[in-house]
């Protein structure tokens, strides 16, 4: 048998709710964007604020280099290669067309400079050079890219090369690109920081970062542009305002200005009408419950992972928490044992659930305690 504990949500500032006092905020529809597909996702909560055709297969073009950067960053953090590694440029890398870093065949370039060439200058030549350094061949590197894609949950992506050179078997989706962007920001912040660099000079050739929003919007700090004739003009961007990080993906617009304007419109709309808050930290005590027949008679219940929610502005004051806990918790209890569930509801709709777990172990009490509590429990059952 279980029982319910219903409480208003208490925010980190310690202010209780007045559930009946706040009216529901009206959120207008998002702006119309002339793009094949697009979305806005909160980087912390994973909540999609805006989305259109997010699972439609698209050509990633140079957005592919986000995955190239992620794989290289993972190989660095895993100790397999280093930023200081010296890479000899192959003829294949040197011959790459399209956007280039302008590395020269037979010359030696550091992994760090090649990464900057990929991220800032969108160099196809630098992408191939890094791929060959990591895996021996670009084909083997593409296999590694696909393994990481599976690991990250990019269910609708397949990579053939490291640069985004067009191929009918080289594809992704807006959703998968957002997943990749979140992972790069979360797992490799030091590599992600390179995406904010506005220009990079190599071989006496200075090239600007193709993400023009780095100049137009101070809140934008990455991440990548892409363009081919078949893919159109694409942009994945990330911004931080008031501690809230959003990621925008815009695919298949008709120009450089169009992709930037579309991204700005989506970001402005999302920051205006939505907000994100961390409601509970990982391991935070949610409630304290009675324990029977134990060496102690109370136990804190917590959630294992932090709980972050994105909601329309003004709706946090209407959240209500409901905790469902076993009615009689009897020792022994193991630390981390699931003993109930936390539910957060808005307008009578459950919008988030988390298991409630024991914060610590509770061993059996003495024989006297066990007998005493057995009598009390029997008496309570007879009531």
């Amino acid at each position: 048998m279980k029982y319910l504990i219903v409480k208003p949500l208490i925010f980190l500032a310690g202010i209780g709710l007045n559930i009946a006092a706040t009216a529901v905020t009206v959120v207008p529809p998002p702006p119309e964007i002339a793009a094949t597909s697009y979305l806005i996702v909160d980087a912390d909560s994973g909540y999609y604020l805006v989305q259109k055709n997010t699972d439609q297969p698209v050509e990633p073009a140079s957005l592919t280099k986000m995955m190239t950067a992620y794989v290289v960053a993972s190989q660095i953090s895993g100790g397999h290669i280093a930023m200081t590694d010296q890479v000899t440029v192959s003829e294949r890398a040197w011959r790459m067309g399209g956007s280039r870093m302008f590395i020269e065949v037979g010359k030696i370039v550091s992994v760090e400079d090649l990464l900057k060439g990929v991220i800032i200058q969108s160099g196809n030549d630098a992408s191939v050079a890094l791929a060959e350094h990591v895996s021996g061949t670009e084909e083997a590197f593409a296999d590694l890219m696909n393994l990481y894609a599976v690991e990250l949950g990019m269910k609708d992506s397949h990579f053939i090369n490291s640069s985004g050179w067009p191929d009918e078997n080289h594809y992704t989706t807006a959703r998968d690109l957002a997943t990749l962007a979140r992972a790069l920001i979360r797992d490799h912040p030091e590599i992600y920081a390179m995406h904010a660099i506005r220009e990079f000079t190599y071989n006496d050739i200075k090239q600007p970062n193709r993400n023009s929003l780095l100049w137009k919007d101070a809140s934008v700090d990455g991440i990548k542009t892409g363009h081919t004739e078949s893919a159109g003009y694409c942009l994945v961007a990330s911004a931080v305002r008031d501690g809230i990080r959003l990621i925008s993906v815009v695919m298949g617009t008709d120009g450089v200005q169009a992709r930037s304007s579309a991204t700005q419109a989506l970001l402005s709309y999302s920051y205006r009408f939505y907000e994100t808050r961390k409601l509970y930290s990982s391991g935070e005590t949610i409630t304290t419950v009675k324990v029977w027949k134990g060496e102690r008679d109370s136990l804190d219940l917590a959630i294992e992972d932090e709980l972050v929610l994105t909601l329309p502005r003004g709706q946090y004051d209407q959240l209500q928490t409901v905790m469902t806990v076993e009615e009689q918790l009897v020792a022994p209890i193991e630390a981390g044992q699931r003993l109930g569930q936390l539910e957060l509801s808005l307008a009578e709709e459950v919008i988030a659930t988390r298991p409630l777990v024991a914060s610590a172990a509770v061993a059996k009490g003495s024989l006297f305690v066990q007998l005493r509590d057995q009598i009390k429990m029997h008496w309570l059952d007879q009531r």
Side-chain angles (χ1 to χ4, degrees):
M1 186 174 180
K2 298 183 178 182
Y3 67 94
L4 301 180
I5 307 172
V6 181
K7 293 183 178 180
L9 185 65
I10 306 300
F11 290 132
L12 300 182
I15 303 173
L17 303 180
N18 183 348
I19 296 173
T22 307
V24 175
T25 301
V26 176
V27 178
E32 290 293 330
I33 301 299
T36 303
S37 59
Y38 54 85
L39 62 83
I40 291 280
V41 62
D42 184 277
D44 293 318
S45 69
Y47 180 82
Y48 284 78
L49 290 71
V50 180
Q51 53 183 318
K52 178 183 178 182
N53 298 333
T54 54
D55 298 314
Q56 177 176 323
V58 290
E59 180 184 329
S62 282
L63 299 180
T64 299
K65 296 181 176 80
M66 292 164 53
M67 178 58 86
T68 298
Y70 185 89
V71 173
V72 173
S74 298
Q75 294 296 298
I76 293 172
S77 64
H80 305 295
I81 63 172
M83 282 284 219
T84 54
D85 284 358
Q86 301 298 299
V87 180
T88 302
V89 178
S90 70
E91 183 172 351
R92 176 173 177 172
W94 170 69
R95 286 188 178 278
M96 285 298 297
S99 55
R100 302 177 63 200
M101 180 183 174
F102 296 103
I103 52 180
E104 299 177 6
V105 64
K107 294 294 181 67
I108 295 175
V109 188
S110 69
V111 165
E112 182 175 3
D113 280 348
L114 287 171
L115 263 175
K116 290 178 179 177
V118 168
I119 292 169
I120 304 166
Q121 300 174 331
S122 197
N124 294 333
D125 49 358
S127 299
V128 174
L130 279 174
E132 292 175 340
H133 179 64
V134 170
S135 300
T137 67
E138 188 178 19
E139 291 78 12
F141 185 81
D143 291 338
L144 195 57
M145 295 169 77
N146 289 320
L147 288 175
Y148 276 104
V150 171
E151 184 178 288
L152 294 175
M154 299 171 63
K155 299 179 181 179
D156 299 300
S157 296
H158 188 259
F159 298 100
I160 295 294
N161 57 65
S162 61
S163 65
W165 202 260
D167 188 290
E168 63 180 7
N169 292 315
H170 190 90
Y171 55 84
T172 188
T173 65
R175 186 186 304 276
D176 279 359
L177 288 170
T179 298
L180 175 58
R182 289 183 70 200
L184 184 59
I185 293 167
R186 178 191 67 233
D187 300 340
H188 304 293
E190 71 290 347
I191 300 301
Y192 175 72
M194 290 184 176
H195 293 77
I197 300 174
R198 294 186 176 185
E199 60 185 26
F200 178 56
T201 301
Y202 181 80
N203 203 15
D204 294 326
I205 301 172
K206 181 166 68 174
Q207 296 187 66
N209 194 313
R210 287 161 170 77
N211 183 1
S212 62
L213 291 184
L214 294 175
W215 285 267
K216 297 177 181 178
D217 187 336
S219 68
V220 173
D221 59 11
I223 67 172
K224 192 71 188 73
T225 63
H227 169 252
T228 64
E229 185 176 345
S230 52
Y233 291 82
C234 311
L235 174 60
V236 176
S238 184
V240 180
R241 300 179 191 175
D242 298 326
I244 299 173
R245 178 178 289 282
L246 298 182
I247 295 169
S248 168
V249 179
V250 175
M251 305 297 294
T253 66
D254 62 6
V256 172
Q257 182 59 43
R259 70 186 177 191
S260 296
S261 297
T263 299
Q264 284 186 299
L266 291 173
L267 287 173
S268 296
Y269 166 84
S270 299
Y271 278 116
R272 169 63 182 85
F273 292 106
Y274 290 88
E275 60 180 326
T276 298
R277 298 187 192 182
K278 182 172 76 171
L279 305 181
Y280 299 107
S281 300
S282 175
E284 181 177 344
T285 297
I286 305 300
T287 191
T288 301
V289 293
K290 167 71 177 175
V291 176
W292 299 92
K293 300 184 181 182
E295 61 181 4
R296 53 194 178 93
D297 59 8
S298 66
L299 174 65
D300 291 338
L301 300 186
I303 58 172
E304 297 172 297
D305 302 313
E306 69 176 13
L307 178 54
V308 181
L309 287 182
T310 302
L311 293 175
R313 290 190 179 275
Q315 291 196 5
Y316 278 93
D317 289 345
Q318 301 169 63
L319 281 174
Q320 187 177 43
T321 61
V322 176
M323 288 167 279
T324 308
V325 183
E326 295 293 335
E327 185 175 15
Q328 292 183 338
L329 299 178
V330 180
I333 295 173
E334 298 179 359
Q337 183 175 336
R338 294 190 176 189
L339 301 172
Q341 180 170 274
L342 171 70
E343 291 184 349
L344 276 78
S345 300
L346 184 65
E348 300 183 355
E349 177 185 356
V350 176
I351 59 173
T353 62
R354 293 291 187 277
L356 292 172
V357 301
S359 295
V362 181
K364 286 184 177 181
S366 65
L367 289 176
F368 170 77
V369 168
Q370 293 184 54
L371 178 60
R372 180 199 65 192
D373 284 0
Q374 180 63 47
I375 294 171
K376 289 182 178 180
M377 292 169 66
H378 177 75
W379 180 78
L380 288 173
D381 286 339
Q382 299 305 310
R383 294 180 61 183

